[in-house]
Amino acid sequence: MTIAQEQQASWIRNFNPLLASNSSRWPTRAGVYEPLMIFNTLKGELVPWLATKHEWSEDNKKLTLTLRPGVKWSDGQPFTAKDVAFTFGLMKQHKALDISAVWTFLDSVQAKDDATVEFTMTRAFVPGLIYIVHQPIVPEHKWKDVADPVMYKNETPVATGPFTEVKVFQNQVFELGRNPHYWQPGKPAVESIRFPAYPSNDQANLALLTGELDWAGSFVPDIDRVFVAKDKEHNHYWFPLVGNTTVLYVNTTKKPFNDVRVRKALSMAIDRDQIVKVAMYGYTRPSDATALSDTHDRWRNPQAVQAGDWTKLNIEKANAMLDEAGYKKGADGVRVGPDKKPLRFDVNVVTGWTDWVRAAQIITQNLKQVGVDAVLKTYDFSPYFERIQKGEFDASMGWTSEEPSPYFVYRDLMGTETLRPIGEVSARNWHRYGSKEADALLQAFEATNDPEEQKKIAYQMQDLFVKNAPVIPLFPGPSWGEYSTRRFTNFPNKDNPYAKLTPNTPPENLLVLVEVKPK
Amino acid sequence: MRHILRNLGLYAFAAWASLTLNFLIPRLMPGDPASAMFARFAGQLQPEAIEALRQAFGFTDEPLLQQYFTYVGHLFQGDLGLSVAYFPAKVTDVIATGLGWTLLLSGVAVIIAFGLGSLLGVIATWRRGGWLDSVLPPVLIFLGAFPYFWLAMMLLYVLGLTFEAFPIRHAYSDTLAPAFSAEFILDVLQHMVLPATAIVIASLGGWMLNMRSTMVGVLAEDYITMANAKGLSQKRIMFHYAARNALLPNVTGFGMALGFVLSGSLLTEIVFSYPGQGYLLIQAVRNQDYALMQGIFLTITLAVLGANLLVDILYVWLDPRTRAR
């Protein structure tokens, strides 16, 4: 099976699963080294994998995982709780490997017996579960002798996953073969997976059109005409809206964005239907005011959506609200604030991200209609990202957090934990908005394991978000996935949504890797 | 020989100057590499991990001068550091994946363009006003005005996709393993046809016109009339008397072009997914991978200097005046 996921002109041999996924070759973090459990975005549930069940203690400070019996490493050695404890130990010792920062809330990880691991936390932090169970596990008997696991390229992996044998590794192509000891009998059905190097989206898309690729996760413009029409019987795609949400960040430490009326008015002036149609080829839909994508559809609060009228186009009301906030139209049609400064600001976007650039163009045109002079500014990715992280911007296109629970989305959009002063790099909360009310809700969410209670709090978070409009949501992000059924079948799709189709989000792609069958 | 020795000092100075610039320029670029690295992981990494990685990479806030000495020291040990974009691979390993292929592709393309262009220039001037002289220059200039990658895409579309005459990507078939066999070499040549043709077409015009303009001057010289009067064969006059003298400016250009071979015919390589240096350079710039950038620039600099030395030697052979005291 031929797959395109990473974009490179030549491959570097690296199968270290403890590094972030862009460093090691796909699918090191899922298809080679497996996690304990996998969150299935479409079903909204945790799928047991190397661990069969998880259990919280009464006070939610202790998590016990029961491991699957009979799992073997690809060299035939048994997989045990010691391997799990060892992996987390490595991450404690080497901070650079702890990419989801689990040791900020973990206190200790212990192997109780061969099949039981106990995680003790410093505080009740239920949302941390997802980081723990998604961690790929490495074998202690191989890794205990590795001098520096941060610099380790692990060229010949020994792992529990379905594909562990490196059959070919050349600069422009590599191939992985089946694990002879895989714990799921009869799986994977695919003999081997192959990765030709494509330096950019264009080359990957070309290979998709010529029928060389069986599975890909790239953005294809106008896909019905370009790809599907070439071979209606075999060429398919599925773009469920389970990515992160694209939003317009406005710097809430600055005038006029510190005024909620202005934020809502600007949002009401934006024609999201046009953005979706023109900039996004109709692949998505306008976002509602909760800023949640379909990943969190189960959590959506209908009342909050109802109350969030400020994501609907309403020029009249936008004008009225800006007037009310003290920004009156000046002689040249541009509004002037109470401080006599014209309402003029930059909208930052990344050079070459054509869908975003077009969206931002539409936004600036829309805003002109309500007397706001917004100017499009394009930057290369790294200066763009530096500006947004340091909070040195007026308005900027950006994305929200993608973790399974809405807790993370709202922690990063309105919690004070992620808040940093202007000029200091912040991983999240780029618009610098923090609310004590949100903190209380977030803390309550962290401490509860009761689904009903969690839902109630999530509803309250949405009400709070809709009331304050910390950022301006634009559209939920599609998760890109294309496949051809010429040689292989049983990919997930609209009619058989057993997992996300996209290969881009580990570890969920592992669910697809073991299910796909040769024709 | 003295001519070459005299130049060696100059080369050493040039090497030092470019090493230093090589060190400075990436550091003058906007943006901070650690946050750029952060960017590459788009939210996958938590801030604590970033801080730890920063240390692993050796990003320091040391004064520039100190960084400079460390840089030069490591350089002499052949240690170019770790690549950020391809962490934790060494820069030397990363460059090694593409260097050979770029050398091969661009080297072959430049040699063909130089040889063919110069030859066409000689022949066109020799039969001045002939069809070759009147048709070819405007056509080649027209083609040369197109960007490399546009020609590359046209070739890919017409010859690669529509007629399926040549492979459209990679340096060799994915099903073959690199080996010294006739099959593999033939395969490599086949894969080279389209990208090399794109580069040759785009650069042929320059070589031909240069050659033509100097040839025109040389043909008016007295020694050509003299050779004609002595009744030497036309071929001998054309190549030994005229072309050899007219070639000098083109040889200088050839030296420059050979050096720049290493910078890779960037976009052509990307269009054909050729596993060369061009893409590496773009990756390095995008990720603010100082170490990789420096490594690539260093190979380019050394190549330019090396090629110039080669040209100096060629000059001694071509132009007897440089041999005189």
Side-chain angles (χ1 to χ4, degrees), chain B residues 14-242:
Chain B
W16 170 80
S18 47
L19 284 184
T20 307
L21 280 177
N22 207 346
F23 168 81
L24 281 176
I25 290 173
R27 281 170 175 76
L28 296 177
M29 280 176 39
D32 155 42
S35 56
M37 181 173 66
F38 210 172
R40 210 159 57 79
F41 300 121
Q44 278 186 61
L45 261 80
Q46 301 299 318
E48 291 83 1
I50 286 288
E51 196 39 55
L53 263 186
R54 256 183 103 112
Q55 279 160 16
F57 279 121
F59 286 131
T60 51
D61 298 325
E62 275 179 14
L64 263 189
L65 199 67
Q66 210 161 336
Q67 287 186 41
Y68 178 66
F69 283 122
T70 330
Y71 161 75
V72 175
H74 283 169
L75 210 59
F76 277 102
Q77 296 161 18
D79 174 10
L80 297 175
L82 288 180
S83 161
V84 173
Y86 295 92
F87 182 77
K90 284 200 213 98
V91 167
T92 39
D93 291 347
V94 174
I95 292 181
T97 61
L99 188 62
W101 293 108
T102 292
L103 270 179
L104 184 73
L105 171 65
S106 317
V108 167
V110 168
I111 290 170
I112 291 179
F114 167 75
L116 196 64
S118 303
L119 187 70
L120 284 174
V122 171
I123 297 174
T125 341
W126 198 251
R127 308 198 194 291
R128 228 178 327 158
W131 70 269
L132 205 60
D133 191 32
S134 41
V135 175
L136 222 44
V139 170
L140 285 181
I141 286 300
F142 180 67
L143 286 176
F146 288 120
Y148 278 37
F149 71 92
W150 191 85
L151 281 172
M153 288 202 287
M154 286 318 283
L155 284 175
L156 181 134
Y157 184 74
V158 176
L159 290 177
L161 273 184
T162 315
F163 291 103
E164 294 183 9
F166 296 100
I168 55 170
R169 80 168 59 86
H170 289 171
Y172 50 89
S173 301
D174 288 346
T175 46
L176 287 182
F180 259 108
S181 65
E183 192 198 7
F184 183 72
I185 292 170
L186 202 73
D187 189 60
V188 168
L189 289 179
Q190 239 180 21
H191 278 78
M192 218 155 58
V193 172
L194 290 185
T197 310
I199 303 173
V200 168
I201 292 180
S203 54
L204 201 57
W207 296 117
M208 181 182 172
L209 285 186
N210 267 339
M211 193 63 197
R212 189 180 169 278
S213 58
T214 34
M215 268 298 269
V216 170
V218 170
L219 285 185
E221 295 283 343
D222 290 345
Y223 59 83
I224 300 289
T225 323
M226 166 83 165
N228 264 322
K230 284 205 296 193
L232 290 175
S233 82
Q234 291 293 298
K235 226 169 97 186
R236 192 171 167 81
I237 302 174
M238 181 159 90
F239 289 110
H240 278 80
Y241 282 65

Side-chain angles (χ1 to χ4, degrees), chain A residues 27-313:
Chain A
T28 305
R29 280 176 74 89
V32 182
Y33 289 88
E34 294 179 306
L36 296 162
M37 291 183 156
I38 300 173
F39 184 78
N40 184 326
T41 314
L42 286 140
K43 298 205 167 136
E45 63 187 22
L46 275 174
V47 182
W49 212 255
L50 292 181
T52 50
K53 77 174 199 251
H54 74 274
E55 216 172 343
W56 287 99
S57 66
E58 202 54 50
D59 59 358
N60 289 329
K61 280 185 169 176
K62 208 169 259 181
L63 173 70
T64 311
L65 290 180
T66 311
L67 302 186
R68 185 179 296 278
V71 175
K72 283 196 173 109
W73 295 102
S74 51
D75 60 358
Q77 300 249 15
F79 159 81
T80 70
K82 283 207 197 82
D83 295 311
V84 179
F86 172 77
T87 303
F88 281 89
L90 269 186
M91 288 152 58
K92 185 178 190 177
Q93 208 182 335
H94 302 276
K95 279 247 148 51
L97 300 179
D98 187 7
I99 57 179
S100 25
V102 291
W103 284 101
T104 50
F105 57 83
L106 277 183
D107 182 51
S108 72
V109 179
Q110 271 180 316
K112 285 281 155 195
D113 57 50
D114 272 1
T116 318
V117 194
E118 197 180 83
F119 295 81
T120 318
M121 316 223 176
T122 51
R123 62 184 161 114
F125 188 63
V126 175
L129 171 70
I130 199 71
Y131 291 141
I132 293 174
V133 297
H134 273 182
Q135 176 60 40
I137 304 301
V138 298
E140 181 179 14
H141 66 279
K142 286 282 167 196
W143 284 67
K144 64 175 193 281
D145 301 324
V146 174
D148 184 356
V150 182
M151 300 291 176
Y152 186 49
K153 285 195 277 172
N154 190 29
E155 298 192 349
T156 315
V158 169
T160 61
F163 297 98
T164 51
E165 190 201 343
V166 185
K167 287 178 131 177
V168 175
F169 204 99
Q170 289 164 15
N171 59 353
Q172 60 181 28
V173 67
F174 72 93
E175 192 177 329
L176 299 176
R178 264 199 283 237
N179 173 358
H181 297 284
Y182 196 50
W183 55 272
Q184 297 194 59
K187 287 179 181 176
V190 175
E191 189 72 35
S192 70
I193 46 180
R194 208 175 163 74
F195 305 88
Y198 304 104
S200 80
N201 227 6
D202 294 339
Q203 281 75 34
N205 288 348
L206 187 63
L208 204 56
L209 303 190
T210 54
E212 282 160 70
L213 282 177
D214 298 306
W215 187 20
S218 56
F219 167 77
V220 184
D222 201 4
I223 192 161
D224 281 315
R225 193 177 59 80
V226 173
F227 175 60
V228 178
K230 291 270 184 293
D231 184 350
K232 278 214 170 69
E233 198 193 330
H234 299 116
N235 291 355
H236 305 281
Y237 71 95
W238 186 36
F239 297 161
L241 301 177
V242 290
N244 41 33
T245 300
T246 298
V247 302
L248 184 69
Y249 282 97
V250 288
N251 196 330
T252 60
T253 59
K254 279 190 186 178
K255 271 185 182 170
F257 309 116
N258 55 357
D259 187 336
V260 58
R261 289 171 297 186
V262 174
R263 295 199 293 268
K264 285 186 176 170
L266 294 178
S267 173
M268 273 190 277
I270 294 170
D271 186 352
R272 289 176 179 75
D273 285 317
Q274 200 190 359
I275 292 177
V276 164
K277 208 169 99 205
V278 177
M280 295 303 296
Y281 297 95
Y283 292 157
T284 176
R285 56 152 200 264
S287 172
D288 64 41
T290 63
L292 295 180
S293 76
D294 284 356
T295 304
H296 309 114
D297 212 20
R298 280 167 201 80
W299 302 89
R300 208 182 297 279
N301 173 356
Q303 276 92 43
V305 174
Q306 195 73 41
D309 61 339
W310 50 270
T311 47
K312 302 212 169 51
L313 182 65

